[in-house]
Amino acid sequence: LFDAVTCFSSFHWFATKTAGAEIKTVLKKEGFIFIINKFEEKDFLYDFEKIIEQKAGVVLPNPHKDYHPFDFVQSSGFHDIQETLFQAQEQYSLEKALVYLQSRSYWNLVPKEKQQEVLAACKKTFQEKYPTKQVLVRDLKIKVVSGRA
């Protein structure tokens, strides 16, 4: 059994009653669950998602829709639940931003034959939208929800 279970920027994909019950089975009595998620304001990532939808003709899933980690932890029978919000910032060069965008889970939804077109459109959009910026900035809210089994 484990003292803690941690979920970093992933739990929104599998926040189900089954997952909550399974997590409790692997925790020691009074063990902790920590769920950490980054939430960005509408930034270059938002632009990227719109370009994917337009150029690749796909509708991207929204795993954060109806996702409330505090409610999940509470409904899964955890106690001493706490929620903390932090402000943070990530900075990317244009090239690193394009690499980051390809690491996002929904990049796999872009057909291979459309990927170069999408990347070129992103690069062009970013250069036009941020012509004097050497760094693209993401302002983030980091939410940490914790509870005890």
Side-chain angles (χ1 to χ4, degrees), residues 36-50:
I36 300 95
N37 287 102
K38 298 188 296 189
F39 298 93
E40 59 273 328
E41 299 298 321
K42 288 187 177 179
D43 58 4
F44 72 87
L45 190 58
Y46 176 79
D47 294 333
F48 174 66
E49 292 167 353
K50 295 299 155 211

Side-chain angles (χ1 to χ4, degrees), residues 44 48 51 92-104 107 115-116 118-127 136:
F44 72 87
F48 174 66
I51 291 168
Y92 298 89
S93 67
L94 176 58
E95 294 307 315
K96 287 190 179 186
L98 293 173
V99 170
Y100 169 71
L101 299 173
Q102 293 172 78
S103 76
R104 303 285 296 190
W107 178 250
Q115 290 180 351
Q116 289 307 310
V118 168
L119 285 175
C122 287
K123 187 171 185 173
K124 181 179 182 219
T125 298
F126 297 161
Q127 288 171 329
L136 299 175

Side-chain angles (χ1 to χ4, degrees), residues 12-50:
H12 51 276
W13 291 108
F14 56 92
T16 64
K17 287 182 181 182
T18 303
E22 184 65 23
I23 289 168
K24 288 187 84 173
T25 67
V26 300
L27 281 173
K28 292 179 181 175
K29 183 175 172 56
E30 297 299 312
F32 289 93
I33 183 171
F34 295 97
I35 301 172
I36 300 95
N37 287 102
K38 298 188 296 189
F39 298 93
E40 59 273 328
E41 299 298 321
K42 288 187 177 179
D43 58 4
F44 72 87
L45 190 58
Y46 176 79
D47 294 333
F48 174 66
E49 292 167 353
K50 295 299 155 211

Side-chain angles (χ1 to χ4, degrees), residues 74-122:
Q74 189 173 46
S75 69
S76 296
F78 289 87
H79 61 93
D80 295 335
I81 303 164
Q82 296 181 19
E83 183 175 86
T84 307
L85 195 63
F86 300 92
Q87 300 293 324
Q89 194 176 74
E90 294 178 343
Q91 298 181 4
Y92 298 89
S93 67
L94 176 58
E95 294 307 315
K96 287 190 179 186
L98 293 173
V99 170
Y100 169 71
L101 299 173
Q102 293 172 78
S103 76
R104 303 285 296 190
S105 58
Y106 49 67
W107 178 250
N108 294 319
L109 299 175
V110 178
K112 295 271 186 234
E113 65 275 6
K114 295 279 189 176
Q115 290 180 351
Q116 289 307 310
E117 179 183 352
V118 168
L119 285 175
C122 287

